[in-house]
Amino acid sequence: MLLKERLANRGEPGYRAGQVWDWAARGVGGYAEMTNLPGNLRSELEQDVPFSTLELEREAKASDGTVKALFRTRDGHLVEAVLMRYRDGRRSLCLSSQSGCPLTCTFCATGQMRFGRNLTASEILDQALHFRRIEPVDHAVFMGMGEPMLNLDSVLEAARSLPDVGITWRRTTISTVGWLPGLTRFVDEVEEPVRLALSLHASTDELRSELMPVNERYALADVLAECERYFKLRRRKVFVEYVMLRGVNDRVEQARSLANLLDPKVFKVNLIPYNPTGMYDRSSRRAIAAFKHVLDRARLPATVRLTRGRDIAAACGQLAAG
Ligand code: SAH
C-alpha cells in the first residue's frame, strides 16, 4: 500500500499506519483531521497519498432514505454500493465485491453489464468508509455487484476489518450463488461468525439452471449439502434468498417443493419481491403471501424482504453502474 510505503520511507514509527486507520474507520474526511499525527506529516500525506482508492462519481438518494454511491476505481472500473436506512435505526451497507459480475443470472442487472475485475480489499473497505463518513453504520451485506466467493480472499480481508468501522462479524453477511470452490473454503476456513446467505430462487435443478446458468456447473444438491455442512460446523442458520418471479417460481406447488427441500433447522427463507430489470414480472402481493403461507405451515422460517431504494435503481439486482 502506498500509505505504508510512504510512512516507512519517511522513517515514521510503526504505529502510524494504525493511527491513520483508526481515524479513517471512525469516519474522518481526510488526513488533516488526524490530530495525533505531526502537522507536516498530515500535509504531506494530504498532498501525496490519495485518501481513498475510489473516486465518488455520483450519489443518489431515494425517497426512503437509501443512498446509492457510484464509484470509479483508479483504473476506471465502476462500482456501486448502497446505504440502507431502516426505521428501527439500523444502518446497513450493501457492498460490492467485483466491478460487474461474470455470472449471468437472468433476473439480475449486474450480470448484464460488462465484467470488470475483482475488487481489492481496500476498494471494498473504501465503499464502507465512504458511508461511515456520512453516519455510523452497523450492518453489512455482500449483496452488491459481483460474486463474493469468486473473490473470497479480498472479501474476507475487508470483512475482518469491518468491526473497526462499527460492523461486527455477526452483522456481516456474505451472499453467494453457490460457487462451490469458494463456498467450501468459506465453510472450512472462516472461523469468524460471519453469516452466510444462498441465492437459491428455485427448488429444482431444471428451473434453477434456466434462471442461473451457474447451476449447470454446481448442482443444487451439492450446494445445499455444503450449506448443511456450514450449519453443522458453525451452528449458524443459512439465509436463503428467493426472488419472486410471476408465473416462474411463485406457484404454491413450488412453495411445497421448497419446503420439502430445505431443513427448517438449517435454513431461513427470505422472499424477495422482484425489482424490475427487464425480463420478468413481479409476483403479486397475494402470490407472495400464499407462497409464504405454505412455508409457514411447513414451519420453515420465512420473511418477505423490505424493498429499499427502488426509485434510484439501488434495490437488489438493479446495480448496473448506469
Ligand atoms: N452474487 C451474489 C451476491 C449478490 S446478492 C449472490 O447472487 O448471492 C444480490 C441478491 O439480489 C441475490 O440474492 C440476487 O439473487 C438478488 N437479485 C438479483 N436480481 C434481483 C432482482 N431483479 N430483484 C430482486 N432481487 C434480485
Side-chain angles (χ1 to χ4, degrees):
M1 262 176 7
L2 188 56
L3 173 67
K4 286 209 175 123
E5 233 174 75
R6 186 52 68 100
L7 292 173
N9 288 347
R10 274 181 117 255
E12 289 292 332
Y15 54 80
R16 286 279 184 246
Q19 285 178 316
V20 171
W21 168 249
D22 286 345
W23 283 106
R26 271 180 282 149
V28 305
Y31 300 104
E33 294 169 56
M34 302 183 176
T35 49
N36 57 355
L37 263 53
N40 56 352
L41 174 61
R42 275 184 262 160
S43 41
E44 192 177 301
L45 292 177
E46 197 82 45
Q47 289 249 312
D48 299 345
V49 184
F51 191 56
S52 174
T53 56
L54 301 175
E55 203 176 307
L56 181 67
E57 278 274 310
R58 209 179 318 143
E59 201 162 48
K61 192 167 161 186
S63 52
D64 61 17
T66 300
V67 182
K68 178 170 83 169
L70 172 66
F71 304 100
R72 188 183 289 277
T73 63
R74 283 287 136 65
D75 57 345
H77 292 291
L78 295 173
V79 181
E80 288 186 321
V82 181
L83 162 67
M84 293 165 291
R85 297 170 160 141
Y86 295 92
R87 287 211 190 94
D88 61 5
R90 201 149 44 99
R91 295 290 179 265
S92 189
L93 302 181
C94 182
L95 303 176
S96 292
S97 54
Q98 303 180 310
S99 168
C101 184
L103 306 177
T104 49
C105 301
T106 53
F107 45 80
C108 180
T110 307
Q112 276 138 48
M113 73 180 261
R114 206 175 49 83
F115 174 62
R117 61 165 170 79
N118 279 345
L119 299 179
T120 65
S122 301
E123 286 165 341
I124 296 170
L125 270 177
D126 279 329
Q127 299 167 46
L129 291 181
H130 170 77
F131 292 115
R132 177 63 188 83
R133 290 193 279 277
I134 302 178
E135 65 192 11
V137 289
D138 49 29
H139 285 73
V141 292
F142 282 89
M143 296 188 187
M145 290 179 168
E147 168 51 41
M149 296 300 178
L150 283 170
N151 187 19
L152 189 57
D153 289 318
S154 298
V155 166
L156 289 176
E157 192 183 332
R160 288 185 169 121
S161 293
L162 283 177
D164 294 339
V165 184
I167 301 165
T168 62
W169 291 319
R170 279 172 211 287
R171 290 174 167 186
T172 300
T173 302
I174 297 182
S175 179
T176 179
V177 296
W179 186 267
L180 266 186
L183 180 55
T184 301
R185 270 193 57 207
F186 179 83
V187 175
D188 285 329
E189 295 171 21
V190 180
E191 288 176 3
E192 293 86 353
V194 171
R195 290 181 189 276
L196 176 65
L198 171 68
S199 292
L200 187 63
H201 310 313
S203 57
T204 62
D205 275 313
E206 195 191 356
L207 179 58
R208 193 165 189 263
S209 295
E210 233 174 77
L211 301 175
M212 309 170 70
V214 66
N215 189 70
E216 275 165 26
R217 191 150 173 170
Y218 302 117
L220 197 51
D222 299 335
V223 171
L224 291 177
E226 208 51 29
C227 292
E228 288 178 11
R229 205 164 67 81
Y230 167 84
F231 177 78
K232 283 207 188 85
L233 222 65
R234 309 284 171 212
R235 290 283 138 194
R236 279 184 297 276
K237 282 203 175 187
V238 178
F239 296 108
V240 162
E241 295 156 281
Y242 193 100
V243 57
M244 299 292 289
L245 308 170
R246 176 185 298 216
V248 176
N249 67 355
D250 67 347
R251 291 195 301 276
V252 163
E253 313 88 79
Q254 289 166 317
R256 283 195 205 106
S257 146
L258 185 64
N260 285 332
L261 186 68
L262 301 178
D263 180 347
K265 286 196 299 295
V266 178
F267 297 98
K268 187 175 177 305
V269 177
N270 202 205
L271 300 174
I272 313 178
Y274 169 63
N275 299 305
T277 55
M279 277 275 280
Y280 301 95
D281 295 315
R282 56 199 341 253
S283 302
S284 66
R285 273 196 202 193
R286 187 194 276 186
I288 296 177
F291 198 95
K292 180 173 181 300
H293 184 67
V294 173
L295 305 184
D296 290 343
R297 297 254 320 245
R299 307 239 181 281
L300 179 62
T303 50
V304 179
R305 180 174 291 175
L306 200 61
T307 301
R308 313 298 291 175
R310 198 188 282 149
D311 55 339
I312 53 165
C316 304
Q318 293 187 312
L319 302 186

